[in-house]
PDB file of all heavy atoms in Angstrom:
ATOM      1  N   THR X  12     -62.734  27.783  14.113  1.00 98.00           N
ATOM      2  CA  THR X  12     -61.917  28.850  14.891  1.00 98.00           C
ATOM      3  C   THR X  12     -62.839  30.162  14.938  1.00 98.00           C
ATOM      4  O   THR X  12     -63.128  30.714  13.777  1.00 98.00           O
ATOM      5  CB  THR X  12     -60.634  29.138  14.173  1.00 98.00           C
ATOM      6  OG1 THR X  12     -59.906  27.990  13.928  1.00 98.00           O
ATOM      7  CG2 THR X  12     -59.849  30.198  14.941  1.00 98.00           C
ATOM      8  N   PRO X  13     -63.197  30.590  16.108  1.00 98.00           N
ATOM      9  CA  PRO X  13     -63.937  31.873  16.133  1.00 98.00           C
ATOM     10  C   PRO X  13     -63.136  33.003  15.594  1.00 98.00           C
ATOM     11  O   PRO X  13     -61.926  33.093  15.836  1.00 98.00           O
ATOM     12  CB  PRO X  13     -64.120  32.068  17.776  1.00 98.00           C
ATOM     13  CG  PRO X  13     -64.014  30.719  18.276  1.00 98.00           C
ATOM     14  CD  PRO X  13     -63.059  30.019  17.382  1.00 98.00           C
ATOM     15  N   LEU X  14     -63.773  33.923  14.932  1.00 98.00           N
ATOM     16  CA  LEU X  14     -63.138  35.088  14.340  1.00 98.00           C
ATOM     17  C   LEU X  14     -63.543  36.402  15.004  1.00 98.00           C
ATOM     18  O   LEU X  14     -62.912  37.414  14.716  1.00 98.00           O
ATOM     19  CB  LEU X  14     -63.593  35.190  12.820  1.00 98.00           C
ATOM     20  CG  LEU X  14     -63.101  34.013  11.977  1.00 98.00           C
ATOM     21  CD1 LEU X  14     -63.650  34.111  10.527  1.00 98.00           C
ATOM     22  CD2 LEU X  14     -61.547  33.957  11.852  1.00 98.00           C
ATOM     23  N   GLY X  15     -64.570  36.384  15.721  1.00 97.00           N
ATOM     24  CA  GLY X  15     -65.074  37.673  16.326  1.00 97.00           C
ATOM     25  C   GLY X  15     -65.892  37.320  17.536  1.00 97.00           C
ATOM     26  O   GLY X  15     -66.366  36.193  17.780  1.00 97.00           O
ATOM     27  N   PHE X  16     -66.113  38.323  18.426  1.00 97.00           N
ATOM     28  CA  PHE X  16     -66.950  38.161  19.705  1.00 97.00           C
ATOM     29  C   PHE X  16     -68.400  38.045  19.361  1.00 97.00           C
ATOM     30  O   PHE X  16     -69.071  37.183  19.718  1.00 97.00           O
ATOM     31  CB  PHE X  16     -66.682  39.266  20.688  1.00 97.00           C
ATOM     32  CG  PHE X  16     -67.665  39.341  21.776  1.00 97.00           C
ATOM     33  CD1 PHE X  16     -67.672  38.359  22.774  1.00 97.00           C
ATOM     34  CD2 PHE X  16     -68.617  40.323  21.703  1.00 97.00           C
ATOM     35  CE1 PHE X  16     -68.662  38.366  23.754  1.00 97.00           C
ATOM     36  CE2 PHE X  16     -69.639  40.382  22.826  1.00 97.00           C
ATOM     37  CZ  PHE X  16     -69.625  39.415  23.711  1.00 97.00           C
ATOM     38  N   ALA X  17     -68.918  38.902  18.541  1.00 98.00           N
ATOM     39  CA  ALA X  17     -70.284  39.111  18.302  1.00 98.00           C
ATOM     40  C   ALA X  17     -70.769  38.012  17.291  1.00 98.00           C
ATOM     41  O   ALA X  17     -71.827  37.506  17.348  1.00 98.00           O
ATOM     42  CB  ALA X  17     -70.718  40.401  17.715  1.00 98.00           C
ATOM     43  N   ALA X  18     -69.873  37.700  16.314  1.00 98.00           N
ATOM     44  CA  ALA X  18     -70.208  36.687  15.262  1.00 98.00           C
ATOM     45  C   ALA X  18     -68.962  36.385  14.506  1.00 98.00           C
ATOM     46  O   ALA X  18     -67.912  36.958  14.684  1.00 98.00           O
ATOM     47  CB  ALA X  18     -71.317  37.293  14.245  1.00 98.00           C
ATOM     48  N   GLY X  19     -69.056  35.198  13.805  1.00 98.00           N
ATOM     49  CA  GLY X  19     -68.027  34.830  12.818  1.00 98.00           C
ATOM     50  C   GLY X  19     -67.077  33.737  13.372  1.00 98.00           C
ATOM     51  O   GLY X  19     -66.629  33.787  14.487  1.00 98.00           O
ATOM     52  N   ALA X  20     -67.001  32.694  12.573  1.00 98.00           N
ATOM     53  CA  ALA X  20     -66.060  31.583  12.790  1.00 98.00           C
ATOM     54  C   ALA X  20     -65.601  31.030  11.426  1.00 98.00           C
ATOM     55  O   ALA X  20     -66.384  31.070  10.512  1.00 98.00           O
ATOM     56  CB  ALA X  20     -66.717  30.446  13.585  1.00 98.00           C
ATOM     57  N   GLN X  21     -64.396  30.613  11.407  1.00 98.00           N
ATOM     58  CA  GLN X  21     -63.756  30.034  10.216  1.00 98.00           C
ATOM     59  C   GLN X  21     -63.764  28.478  10.293  1.00 98.00           C
ATOM     60  O   GLN X  21     -63.477  27.872  11.442  1.00 98.00           O
ATOM     61  CB  GLN X  21     -62.399  30.493  10.053  1.00 98.00           C
ATOM     62  CG  GLN X  21     -61.580  29.881   8.842  1.00 98.00           C
ATOM     63  CD  GLN X  21     -60.191  30.413   8.672  1.00 98.00           C
ATOM     64  OE1 GLN X  21     -60.037  31.303   8.029  1.00 98.00           O
ATOM     65  NE2 GLN X  21     -59.214  29.776   9.397  1.00 98.00           N
ATOM     66  N   ILE X  22     -64.182  27.777   9.235  1.00 98.00           N
ATOM     67  CA  ILE X  22     -64.160  26.380   9.244  1.00 98.00           C
ATOM     68  C   ILE X  22     -63.193  25.828   8.135  1.00 98.00           C
ATOM     69  O   ILE X  22     -63.387  26.126   6.961  1.00 98.00           O
ATOM     70  CB  ILE X  22     -65.589  25.777   8.992  1.00 98.00           C
ATOM     71  CG1 ILE X  22     -66.475  26.200  10.164  1.00 98.00           C
ATOM     72  CG2 ILE X  22     -65.545  24.294   8.883  1.00 98.00           C
ATOM     73  CD1 ILE X  22     -67.808  25.561  10.143  1.00 98.00           C
ATOM     74  N   ARG X  23     -62.190  25.123   8.570  1.00 98.00           N
ATOM     75  CA  ARG X  23     -61.201  24.475   7.669  1.00 98.00           C
ATOM     76  C   ARG X  23     -61.373  22.983   7.841  1.00 98.00           C
ATOM     77  O   ARG X  23     -62.006  22.419   8.743  1.00 98.00           O
ATOM     78  CB  ARG X  23     -59.897  24.848   8.068  1.00 98.00           C
ATOM     79  CG  ARG X  23     -59.582  26.431   7.579  1.00 98.00           C
ATOM     80  CD  ARG X  23     -58.089  26.724   7.646  1.00 98.00           C
ATOM     81  NE  ARG X  23     -57.769  28.096   7.130  1.00 98.00           N
ATOM     82  CZ  ARG X  23     -57.444  28.329   5.980  1.00 98.00           C
ATOM     83  NH1 ARG X  23     -57.466  27.306   5.050  1.00 98.00           N
ATOM     84  NH2 ARG X  23     -57.154  29.545   5.619  1.00 98.00           N
ATOM     85  N   GLY X  24     -60.632  22.207   6.942  1.00 97.00           N
ATOM     86  CA  GLY X  24     -60.676  20.736   6.974  1.00 97.00           C
ATOM     87  C   GLY X  24     -61.827  20.176   6.289  1.00 97.00           C
ATOM     88  O   GLY X  24     -62.201  18.905   6.585  1.00 97.00           O
ATOM     89  N   ILE X  25     -62.407  20.892   5.328  1.00 97.00           N
ATOM     90  CA  ILE X  25     -63.574  20.298   4.628  1.00 97.00           C
ATOM     91  C   ILE X  25     -63.507  20.817   3.082  1.00 97.00           C
ATOM     92  O   ILE X  25     -63.140  21.917   2.905  1.00 97.00           O
ATOM     93  CB  ILE X  25     -64.876  20.725   5.200  1.00 97.00           C
ATOM     94  CG1 ILE X  25     -66.059  19.931   4.575  1.00 97.00           C
ATOM     95  CG2 ILE X  25     -65.046  22.158   5.244  1.00 97.00           C
ATOM     96  CD1 ILE X  25     -67.277  20.007   5.319  1.00 97.00           C
ATOM     97  N   ASP X  26     -63.830  19.992   2.145  1.00 97.00           N
ATOM     98  CA  ASP X  26     -63.845  20.204   0.815  1.00 97.00           C
ATOM     99  C   ASP X  26     -65.337  20.276   0.419  1.00 97.00           C
ATOM    100  O   ASP X  26     -65.953  19.220   0.325  1.00 97.00           O
ATOM    101  CB  ASP X  26     -63.096  19.171  -0.019  1.00 97.00           C
ATOM    102  CG  ASP X  26     -63.070  19.590  -1.536  1.00 97.00           C
ATOM    103  OD1 ASP X  26     -63.702  20.473  -1.927  1.00 97.00           O
ATOM    104  OD2 ASP X  26     -62.226  18.936  -2.178  1.00 97.00           O
ATOM    105  N   LEU X  27     -65.866  21.455   0.161  1.00 98.00           N
ATOM    106  CA  LEU X  27     -67.301  21.562  -0.061  1.00 98.00           C
ATOM    107  C   LEU X  27     -67.720  21.106  -1.520  1.00 98.00           C
ATOM    108  O   LEU X  27     -68.806  21.018  -1.744  1.00 98.00           O
ATOM    109  CB  LEU X  27     -67.707  23.077   0.008  1.00 98.00           C
ATOM    110  CG  LEU X  27     -67.447  23.716   1.533  1.00 98.00           C
ATOM    111  CD1 LEU X  27     -68.096  25.101   1.517  1.00 98.00           C
ATOM    112  CD2 LEU X  27     -67.990  22.733   2.502  1.00 98.00           C
ATOM    113  N   ARG X  28     -66.714  20.713  -2.350  1.00 97.00           N
ATOM    114  CA  ARG X  28     -67.049  20.129  -3.517  1.00 97.00           C
ATOM    115  C   ARG X  28     -67.611  18.723  -3.396  1.00 97.00           C
ATOM    116  O   ARG X  28     -68.235  18.148  -4.297  1.00 97.00           O
ATOM    117  CB  ARG X  28     -65.795  20.122  -4.453  1.00 97.00           C
ATOM    118  CG  ARG X  28     -65.316  21.461  -4.876  1.00 97.00           C
ATOM    119  CD  ARG X  28     -63.983  21.375  -5.590  1.00 97.00           C
ATOM    120  NE  ARG X  28     -62.966  20.728  -4.757  1.00 97.00           N
ATOM    121  CZ  ARG X  28     -61.693  20.532  -5.247  1.00 97.00           C
ATOM    122  NH1 ARG X  28     -61.349  20.852  -6.520  1.00 97.00           N
ATOM    123  NH2 ARG X  28     -60.848  19.986  -4.358  1.00 97.00           N
ATOM    124  N   LYS X  29     -67.249  18.147  -2.285  1.00 97.00           N
ATOM    125  CA  LYS X  29     -67.609  16.690  -1.996  1.00 97.00           C
ATOM    126  C   LYS X  29     -69.013  16.656  -1.285  1.00 97.00           C
ATOM    127  O   LYS X  29     -69.361  17.611  -0.504  1.00 97.00           O
ATOM    128  CB  LYS X  29     -66.620  15.952  -1.234  1.00 97.00           C
ATOM    129  CG  LYS X  29     -65.224  15.931  -1.842  1.00 97.00           C
ATOM    130  CD  LYS X  29     -64.177  15.234  -1.051  1.00 97.00           C
ATOM    131  CE  LYS X  29     -62.843  15.171  -1.745  1.00 97.00           C
ATOM    132  NZ  LYS X  29     -61.749  14.608  -0.834  1.00 97.00           N
ATOM    133  N   PRO X  30     -69.801  15.590  -1.408  1.00 96.00           N
ATOM    134  CA  PRO X  30     -71.042  15.507  -0.672  1.00 96.00           C
ATOM    135  C   PRO X  30     -70.740  15.638   0.863  1.00 96.00           C
ATOM    136  O   PRO X  30     -69.769  15.070   1.339  1.00 96.00           O
ATOM    137  CB  PRO X  30     -71.617  14.056  -1.067  1.00 96.00           C
ATOM    138  CG  PRO X  30     -70.982  13.803  -2.356  1.00 96.00           C
ATOM    139  CD  PRO X  30     -69.520  14.482  -2.398  1.00 96.00           C
ATOM    140  N   LEU X  31     -71.648  16.362   1.428  1.00 96.00           N
ATOM    141  CA  LEU X  31     -71.491  16.647   2.921  1.00 96.00           C
ATOM    142  C   LEU X  31     -71.993  15.493   3.739  1.00 96.00           C
ATOM    143  O   LEU X  31     -73.275  15.082   3.575  1.00 96.00           O
ATOM    144  CB  LEU X  31     -72.246  17.939   3.240  1.00 96.00           C
ATOM    145  CG  LEU X  31     -72.088  18.573   4.581  1.00 96.00           C
ATOM    146  CD1 LEU X  31     -70.626  18.983   4.773  1.00 96.00           C
ATOM    147  CD2 LEU X  31     -73.013  19.743   4.805  1.00 96.00           C
ATOM    148  N   SER X  32     -71.257  14.902   4.661  1.00 96.00           N
ATOM    149  CA  SER X  32     -71.768  13.789   5.424  1.00 96.00           C
ATOM    150  C   SER X  32     -72.744  14.346   6.443  1.00 96.00           C
ATOM    151  O   SER X  32     -72.791  15.566   6.835  1.00 96.00           O
ATOM    152  CB  SER X  32     -70.639  13.168   6.142  1.00 96.00           C
ATOM    153  OG  SER X  32     -70.019  14.029   7.157  1.00 96.00           O
ATOM    154  N   ASP X  33     -73.594  13.446   7.057  1.00 97.00           N
ATOM    155  CA  ASP X  33     -74.550  13.826   8.093  1.00 97.00           C
ATOM    156  C   ASP X  33     -73.873  14.426   9.206  1.00 97.00           C
ATOM    157  O   ASP X  33     -74.348  15.376   9.906  1.00 97.00           O
ATOM    158  CB  ASP X  33     -75.423  12.670   8.387  1.00 97.00           C
ATOM    159  CG  ASP X  33     -76.430  12.267   7.279  1.00 97.00           C
ATOM    160  OD1 ASP X  33     -76.623  13.067   6.321  1.00 97.00           O
ATOM    161  OD2 ASP X  33     -76.866  11.186   7.281  1.00 97.00           O
ATOM    162  N   ALA X  34     -72.736  13.707   9.600  1.00 96.00           N
ATOM    163  CA  ALA X  34     -72.037  14.238  10.892  1.00 96.00           C
ATOM    164  C   ALA X  34     -71.529  15.650  10.622  1.00 96.00           C
ATOM    165  O   ALA X  34     -71.599  16.508  11.637  1.00 96.00           O
ATOM    166  CB  ALA X  34     -70.872  13.257  11.127  1.00 96.00           C
ATOM    167  N   ASP X  35     -70.911  15.903   9.470  1.00 97.00           N
ATOM    168  CA  ASP X  35     -70.364  17.184   9.212  1.00 97.00           C
ATOM    169  C   ASP X  35     -71.527  18.291   9.109  1.00 97.00           C
ATOM    170  O   ASP X  35     -71.357  19.432   9.633  1.00 97.00           O
ATOM    171  CB  ASP X  35     -69.506  17.217   7.963  1.00 97.00           C
ATOM    172  CG  ASP X  35     -68.138  16.715   8.182  1.00 97.00           C
ATOM    173  OD1 ASP X  35     -67.714  16.553   9.379  1.00 97.00           O
ATOM    174  OD2 ASP X  35     -67.458  16.449   7.176  1.00 97.00           O
ATOM    175  N   GLN X  36     -72.540  17.855   8.539  1.00 97.00           N
ATOM    176  CA  GLN X  36     -73.705  18.775   8.403  1.00 97.00           C
ATOM    177  C   GLN X  36     -74.176  19.240   9.830  1.00 97.00           C
ATOM    178  O   GLN X  36     -74.530  20.389  10.037  1.00 97.00           O
ATOM    179  CB  GLN X  36     -74.916  18.009   7.633  1.00 97.00           C
ATOM    180  CG  GLN X  36     -76.000  19.010   7.263  1.00 97.00           C
ATOM    181  CD  GLN X  36     -76.984  19.314   8.244  1.00 97.00           C
ATOM    182  OE1 GLN X  36     -77.123  18.495   9.226  1.00 97.00           O
ATOM    183  NE2 GLN X  36     -77.798  20.332   8.202  1.00 97.00           N
ATOM    184  N   ARG X  37     -74.352  18.196  10.782  1.00 97.00           N
ATOM    185  CA  ARG X  37     -74.690  18.549  12.105  1.00 97.00           C
ATOM    186  C   ARG X  37     -73.762  19.530  12.709  1.00 97.00           C
ATOM    187  O   ARG X  37     -74.154  20.500  13.495  1.00 97.00           O
ATOM    188  CB  ARG X  37     -74.990  17.241  12.894  1.00 97.00           C
ATOM    189  CG  ARG X  37     -76.150  16.560  12.514  1.00 97.00           C
ATOM    190  CD  ARG X  37     -76.451  15.374  13.534  1.00 97.00           C
ATOM    191  NE  ARG X  37     -75.386  14.326  13.437  1.00 97.00           N
ATOM    192  CZ  ARG X  37     -75.488  13.206  12.795  1.00 97.00           C
ATOM    193  NH1 ARG X  37     -76.386  13.046  11.940  1.00 97.00           N
ATOM    194  NH2 ARG X  37     -74.364  12.405  12.847  1.00 97.00           N
ATOM    195  N   LEU X  38     -72.434  19.299  12.681  1.00 97.00           N
ATOM    196  CA  LEU X  38     -71.480  20.111  13.276  1.00 97.00           C
ATOM    197  C   LEU X  38     -71.504  21.476  12.729  1.00 97.00           C
ATOM    198  O   LEU X  38     -71.377  22.502  13.373  1.00 97.00           O
ATOM    199  CB  LEU X  38     -70.097  19.500  13.030  1.00 97.00           C
ATOM    200  CG  LEU X  38     -69.646  18.325  13.913  1.00 97.00           C
ATOM    201  CD1 LEU X  38     -68.370  17.706  13.505  1.00 97.00           C
ATOM    202  CD2 LEU X  38     -69.590  18.809  15.421  1.00 97.00           C
ATOM    203  N   ILE X  39     -71.610  21.702  11.348  1.00 98.00           N
ATOM    204  CA  ILE X  39     -71.729  22.959  10.699  1.00 98.00           C
ATOM    205  C   ILE X  39     -72.995  23.688  11.226  1.00 98.00           C
ATOM    206  O   ILE X  39     -72.900  24.883  11.495  1.00 98.00           O
ATOM    207  CB  ILE X  39     -71.557  22.845   9.170  1.00 98.00           C
ATOM    208  CG1 ILE X  39     -70.233  22.318   8.750  1.00 98.00           C
ATOM    209  CG2 ILE X  39     -71.994  24.112   8.501  1.00 98.00           C
ATOM    210  CD1 ILE X  39     -70.126  21.900   7.327  1.00 98.00           C
ATOM    211  N   ASN X  40     -74.074  22.902  11.213  1.00 98.00           N
ATOM    212  CA  ASN X  40     -75.330  23.651  11.709  1.00 98.00           C
ATOM    213  C   ASN X  40     -75.212  24.118  13.050  1.00 98.00           C
ATOM    214  O   ASN X  40     -75.602  25.231  13.390  1.00 98.00           O
ATOM    215  CB  ASN X  40     -76.450  22.785  11.514  1.00 98.00           C
ATOM    216  CG  ASN X  40     -77.829  23.466  11.588  1.00 98.00           C
ATOM    217  OD1 ASN X  40     -78.148  24.109  10.672  1.00 98.00           O
ATOM    218  ND2 ASN X  40     -78.503  23.365  12.658  1.00 98.00           N
ATOM    219  N   ALA X  41     -74.555  23.417  13.945  1.00 98.00           N
ATOM    220  CA  ALA X  41     -74.438  23.802  15.292  1.00 98.00           C
ATOM    221  C   ALA X  41     -73.470  25.118  15.365  1.00 98.00           C
ATOM    222  O   ALA X  41     -73.853  25.949  16.145  1.00 98.00           O
ATOM    223  CB  ALA X  41     -73.921  22.618  16.188  1.00 98.00           C
ATOM    224  N   ALA X  42     -72.419  25.041  14.577  1.00 98.00           N
ATOM    225  CA  ALA X  42     -71.521  26.163  14.549  1.00 98.00           C
ATOM    226  C   ALA X  42     -72.245  27.352  14.085  1.00 98.00           C
ATOM    227  O   ALA X  42     -72.016  28.504  14.446  1.00 98.00           O
ATOM    228  CB  ALA X  42     -70.294  25.848  13.768  1.00 98.00           C
ATOM    229  N   TRP X  43     -73.061  27.190  13.046  1.00 98.00           N
ATOM    230  CA  TRP X  43     -73.851  28.304  12.394  1.00 98.00           C
ATOM    231  C   TRP X  43     -74.710  28.891  13.480  1.00 98.00           C
ATOM    232  O   TRP X  43     -74.767  30.131  13.547  1.00 98.00           O
ATOM    233  CB  TRP X  43     -74.648  27.613  11.274  1.00 98.00           C
ATOM    234  CG  TRP X  43     -75.344  28.633  10.371  1.00 98.00           C
ATOM    235  CD1 TRP X  43     -74.728  29.785   9.866  1.00 98.00           C
ATOM    236  CD2 TRP X  43     -76.530  28.394   9.623  1.00 98.00           C
ATOM    237  NE1 TRP X  43     -75.734  30.314   8.945  1.00 98.00           N
ATOM    238  CE2 TRP X  43     -76.749  29.500   8.863  1.00 98.00           C
ATOM    239  CE3 TRP X  43     -77.550  27.403   9.683  1.00 98.00           C
ATOM    240  CZ2 TRP X  43     -78.005  29.576   8.068  1.00 98.00           C
ATOM    241  CZ3 TRP X  43     -78.508  27.488   8.919  1.00 98.00           C
ATOM    242  CH2 TRP X  43     -78.852  28.541   8.087  1.00 98.00           C
ATOM    243  N   LEU X  44     -75.548  28.083  14.161  1.00 98.00           N
ATOM    244  CA  LEU X  44     -76.339  28.674  15.256  1.00 98.00           C
ATOM    245  C   LEU X  44     -75.623  29.478  16.241  1.00 98.00           C
ATOM    246  O   LEU X  44     -76.089  30.393  16.779  1.00 98.00           O
ATOM    247  CB  LEU X  44     -77.158  27.595  15.925  1.00 98.00           C
ATOM    248  CG  LEU X  44     -78.176  26.879  14.878  1.00 98.00           C
ATOM    249  CD1 LEU X  44     -78.891  25.721  15.546  1.00 98.00           C
ATOM    250  CD2 LEU X  44     -79.164  27.752  14.287  1.00 98.00           C
ATOM    251  N   GLU X  45     -74.417  29.033  16.633  1.00 98.00           N
ATOM    252  CA  GLU X  45     -73.598  29.658  17.666  1.00 98.00           C
ATOM    253  C   GLU X  45     -72.924  30.896  17.166  1.00 98.00           C
ATOM    254  O   GLU X  45     -72.964  31.907  17.818  1.00 98.00           O
ATOM    255  CB  GLU X  45     -72.568  28.618  18.193  1.00 98.00           C
ATOM    256  CG  GLU X  45     -71.623  29.233  19.235  1.00 98.00           C
ATOM    257  CD  GLU X  45     -70.602  28.308  19.726  1.00 98.00           C
ATOM    258  OE1 GLU X  45     -70.537  27.116  19.284  1.00 98.00           O
ATOM    259  OE2 GLU X  45     -69.753  28.685  20.576  1.00 98.00           O
ATOM    260  N   HIS X  46     -72.378  30.829  15.920  1.00 98.00           N
ATOM    261  CA  HIS X  46     -71.542  31.972  15.426  1.00 98.00           C
ATOM    262  C   HIS X  46     -72.248  32.892  14.470  1.00 98.00           C
ATOM    263  O   HIS X  46     -71.595  33.877  14.194  1.00 98.00           O
ATOM    264  CB  HIS X  46     -70.217  31.356  14.911  1.00 98.00           C
ATOM    265  CG  HIS X  46     -69.375  30.599  15.935  1.00 98.00           C
ATOM    266  ND1 HIS X  46     -68.612  31.277  16.820  1.00 98.00           N
ATOM    267  CD2 HIS X  46     -69.201  29.296  16.000  1.00 98.00           C
ATOM    268  CE1 HIS X  46     -67.988  30.377  17.546  1.00 98.00           C
ATOM    269  NE2 HIS X  46     -68.257  29.121  17.040  1.00 98.00           N
ATOM    270  N   ILE X  47     -73.379  32.484  13.923  1.00 98.00           N
ATOM    271  CA  ILE X  47     -74.140  33.222  12.972  1.00 98.00           C
ATOM    272  C   ILE X  47     -73.586  33.376  11.641  1.00 98.00           C
ATOM    273  O   ILE X  47     -74.292  33.224  10.661  1.00 98.00           O
ATOM    274  CB  ILE X  47     -74.494  34.743  13.565  1.00 98.00           C
ATOM    275  CG1 ILE X  47     -75.115  34.604  15.007  1.00 98.00           C
ATOM    276  CG2 ILE X  47     -75.316  35.415  12.654  1.00 98.00           C
ATOM    277  CD1 ILE X  47     -75.387  35.932  15.594  1.00 98.00           C
ATOM    278  N   VAL X  48     -72.221  33.688  11.509  1.00 98.00           N
ATOM    279  CA  VAL X  48     -71.534  33.788  10.162  1.00 98.00           C
ATOM    280  C   VAL X  48     -70.365  32.829  10.189  1.00 98.00           C
ATOM    281  O   VAL X  48     -69.561  32.749  11.037  1.00 98.00           O
ATOM    282  CB  VAL X  48     -70.971  35.178   9.953  1.00 98.00           C
ATOM    283  CG1 VAL X  48     -70.355  35.226   8.649  1.00 98.00           C
ATOM    284  CG2 VAL X  48     -72.082  36.278  10.158  1.00 98.00           C
ATOM    285  N   LEU X  49     -70.360  31.867   9.102  1.00 98.00           N
ATOM    286  CA  LEU X  49     -69.270  30.829   9.006  1.00 98.00           C
ATOM    287  C   LEU X  49     -68.569  31.258   7.637  1.00 98.00           C
ATOM    288  O   LEU X  49     -69.137  31.450   6.620  1.00 98.00           O
ATOM    289  CB  LEU X  49     -69.929  29.467   8.881  1.00 98.00           C
ATOM    290  CG  LEU X  49     -70.650  28.956  10.125  1.00 98.00           C
ATOM    291  CD1 LEU X  49     -71.100  27.611   9.848  1.00 98.00           C
ATOM    292  CD2 LEU X  49     -69.768  29.107  11.373  1.00 98.00           C
ATOM    293  N   VAL X  50     -67.305  31.093   7.741  1.00 98.00           N
ATOM    294  CA  VAL X  50     -66.347  31.370   6.563  1.00 98.00           C
ATOM    295  C   VAL X  50     -65.574  30.045   6.221  1.00 98.00           C
ATOM    296  O   VAL X  50     -64.930  29.536   7.106  1.00 98.00           O
ATOM    297  CB  VAL X  50     -65.312  32.458   6.884  1.00 98.00           C
ATOM    298  CG1 VAL X  50     -64.408  32.662   5.744  1.00 98.00           C
ATOM    299  CG2 VAL X  50     -65.968  33.717   7.289  1.00 98.00           C
TER     300      VAL X  50
END
């Protein structure tokens, strides 16, 4: 969910205590490049 125009997005639906799957890693990295800041 985007949080701001210039930067910022929130990511829910994931437990970071668990090993990160390759698919989730790719999605998070793409969101990171787009939104700059992820919460």
Side-chain angles (χ1 to χ4, degrees):
T12 306
L14 296 174
F16 165 71
Q21 178 180 268
I22 297 187
R23 288 188 176 272
I25 188 168
D26 184 347
L27 300 187
R28 295 174 299 181
K29 299 178 180 179
L31 191 64
S32 71
D33 290 342
D35 282 347
Q36 192 276 340
R37 288 191 293 270
L38 282 172
I39 291 170
N40 194 72
W43 191 38
L44 295 178
E45 179 181 357
H46 298 287
I47 302 175
V48 183
L49 298 180
V50 180

